[in-house]
Amino acid sequence: MPSVKNPNGPSKNRLTARAAKARKANQKRNTNSAKNRITKADEKRGARAGLLPTSGPNAALGSKKRRKLERKMGHALRRKTEQEEEDERERIRGKGEVEMKDADISPDKTSKAAITATEEMAIDDTIS
């Protein structure tokens, strides 16, 4: 027996028109999310332009959780600044000039040593 189409259903033309309409609507919706930089995953969770998703990593935080996170970030910032200060102190301690207590330097010897050092440097410059 030959198959007969249901006369109460939509025609082929209506089906293709409906598909084209849905395709156009999806395309429009996707371009809107591209403008607002909303990811597809967030869009599935209810995110729209100006609205955060209701779940997932980008969801809006509750006030209690937000306070806890602010407290944690404050502690982390404090630890970081303390570590930087400690590193600075270590760097200063390591760079500090050491005073030579056992060397006997008189003003005459210092000036003669400086003069001979500059003469040696001048000689080296002329050679090269």
Side-chain angles (χ1 to χ4, degrees):
M1 191 162 161
S3 63
V4 178
K5 188 175 177 195
N6 182 359
N8 297 325
S11 68
K12 259 188 182 178
N13 286 343
R14 284 304 324 136
L15 288 173
T16 55
R18 187 186 302 162
K21 187 177 172 184
R23 208 171 22 252
K24 187 176 179 183
N26 281 337
Q27 192 175 26
K28 191 180 281 189
R29 187 176 30 194
N30 288 340
T31 58
N32 187 24
S33 66
K35 287 178 189 173
N36 296 315
R37 298 185 181 195
I38 299 170
T39 62
K40 194 181 251 186
D42 287 346
E43 196 171 298
K44 287 179 183 175
R45 295 187 188 110
R48 298 289 177 261
L51 288 177
L52 292 172
T54 55
S55 63
N58 293 335
L61 296 174
S63 59
K64 185 175 183 180
K65 189 166 190 172
R66 184 180 42 79
R67 282 195 311 268
K68 284 184 175 183
L69 283 174
E70 286 175 358
R71 198 174 302 132
K72 282 182 181 179
M73 288 190 300
H75 290 316
L77 187 62
R78 183 176 46 81
R79 283 194 305 270
K80 181 181 175 187
T81 54
E82 286 175 357
Q83 184 63 40
E84 287 174 352
E85 290 172 359
E86 184 64 31
D87 291 345
E88 182 68 22
R89 283 191 218 115
E90 286 294 323
R91 190 179 61 78
I92 290 172
R93 271 190 236 136
K95 269 191 173 178
E97 293 182 5
V98 179
E99 188 176 333
M100 295 177 57
K101 296 178 182 175
D102 59 341
D104 183 32
I105 300 176
S106 64
D108 297 335
K109 291 180 183 176
T110 308
S111 61
K112 288 179 185 176
I115 292 170
T116 56
T118 54
E119 287 175 348
E120 287 176 7
M121 286 178 14
I123 292 170
D124 289 341
D125 289 341
T126 57
I127 293 172
S128 55

